[in-house]
Amino acid sequence: MGGPGYFVTFEGPEGAGKSTQVTRLAERLTEHGFEVLSTREPGGTMVGEMIRRILLDGPDLSGWTEALLFTAARAQLVQDVIRPQLEAGLVVLCDRYRDSTLAYQGYGRGVDLATLIRLQAEATGGLLPALTFLLDLPVEEGLSRIPKGALDRLDREGEGFHRRVREGYLEMARQDPGRWVVVNAAVSAEGLAEVIVTATRERLQRAGVRPRERRSA
Ligand code: TYD
């Protein structure tokens, strides 16, 4: 599970407010003396941002093409950013990670799950998050929160697709309750942040991850 740092990921549908929550949690943990790095998928490295443009604004792609491109971006992010920062002892927060590929390309598009799981293990060197928040939201509500002009290629998929993605996430959370924390994303951003900060601090304490010594000036 990586070095002495702590790896937290955020998953969920479009419009659940993941990026806001990543920012809030980073601020709160920093206030408590933790060293934190936040990143996002797809992206977070130069090649990752280039791949992101193909994936979100490019032509229609097959399920396997999507799965391999998302995973390629992830392999670089793990090597260049996530693993080194965990080894340096940081708390790393990532907006989406391997579970997005399982939910969207696996459950959503029907790419074989067992193969995808093996692919993730190879591409990430087996790095799994210690803690994953699922920001769960009814499909219609998530989609209605995204401004029309801001819909990307995947957001524009039909409702059936988004329903399979949600069910896939809930299924993964049921299978691994030690890693997943399912939170209701239909509440206010403030309320959600409190739940997420409390759960994370509890887990950090249990895992023995402590804030850095504060140096007096
Ligand atoms: P992004 O703009 O990051 O949106 P969001 O705010 O919803 O996270 O777009 C990421 C899109 O890519 C989103 O629709 C989910 C999808 N995705 C996959 O299909 N598979 C993946 O492995 C990842 C990381 C994302």
Side-chain angles (χ1 to χ4, degrees), residues 8-113:
V8 184
T9 59
F10 287 75
E11 297 285 351
E14 346 292 315
K18 290 186 303 302
S19 58
T20 307
Q21 294 303 326
V22 170
T23 308
R24 296 276 170 92
L25 180 60
E27 286 166 3
R28 294 286 296 276
L29 291 178
T30 304
E31 281 166 24
H32 284 102
F34 291 95
E35 275 194 88
V36 182
L37 175 107
S38 317
T39 185
R40 68 157 185 188
E41 278 207 8
T45 65
M46 204 189 288
V47 73
E49 293 295 338
M50 293 164 89
I51 294 174
R52 180 188 177 88
R53 283 207 295 277
I54 303 177
L55 279 162
L56 300 186
D57 307 325
D60 279 353
L61 301 171
S62 81
W64 263 113
T65 309
E66 276 181 8
L68 292 168
L69 286 172
F70 278 116
T71 307
R74 179 169 309 129
Q76 198 68 36
L77 183 66
V78 169
Q79 179 193 282
D80 291 356
V81 179
I82 299 178
R83 204 177 277 283
Q85 299 297 347
L86 288 173
E87 279 164 7
L90 270 70
V91 178
V92 176
L93 311 181
C94 195
D95 187 346
R96 298 195 181 280
Y97 186 61
R98 51 89 83 171
D99 302 307
S100 282
T101 302
L102 302 184
Y104 284 79
Q105 281 67 52
Y107 289 94
R109 292 235 192 273
V111 177
D112 182 63
L113 265 178

Side-chain angles (χ1 to χ4, degrees), residues 2 36 49 76 81 108 116 120 129 164-165 185 203:
V36 182
E49 293 295 338
Q76 198 68 36
V81 179
L116 280 182
Q120 297 314 305
R164 291 194 296 282
V165 170
R203 299 292 188 110

